[in-house]
Amino acid sequence: ATVAESTATLSRMRQVADMIRGQEVDKALGILRFSTRHSSRDLEKLLLSAIAAAVASSDNSTNANPG
């Protein structure tokens, strides 16, 4: 997943990414939702997109091999 059109600078995005790196998904989403940094909104969308892609990918691989 990538961020297409963000007005935040790379260094500010990196600061927010460093805050959530290594956290569990629920905790990372909570940090992003309550952060006052503008780039946290962009990273929240990115994280939600990555989660959706991972779920879709695991669903597709589960359906491809019906066991």
Side-chain angles (χ1 to χ4, degrees):
T2 59
V3 177
E5 295 180 16
S6 176
T7 58
T9 63
L10 181 60
S11 60
R12 290 188 182 186
M13 281 276 219
R14 189 173 291 127
Q15 288 175 346
V16 177
D18 288 342
M19 287 191 319
I20 64 168
R21 186 172 287 123
Q23 302 291 333
E24 293 182 8
V25 173
D26 291 333
K27 186 172 182 179
L29 284 172
I31 292 169
L32 292 173
R33 283 193 183 117
F34 295 107
S35 175
T36 57
R37 295 208 177 247
H38 177 72
S39 58
S40 64
R41 286 182 274 164
D42 295 330
L43 283 176
E44 181 182 4
K45 286 182 184 180
L46 177 68
L47 181 57
L48 290 172
S49 174
I51 293 167
V55 168
S57 176
S58 71
D59 287 347
N60 288 340
S61 65
T62 304
N63 291 338
N65 301 321

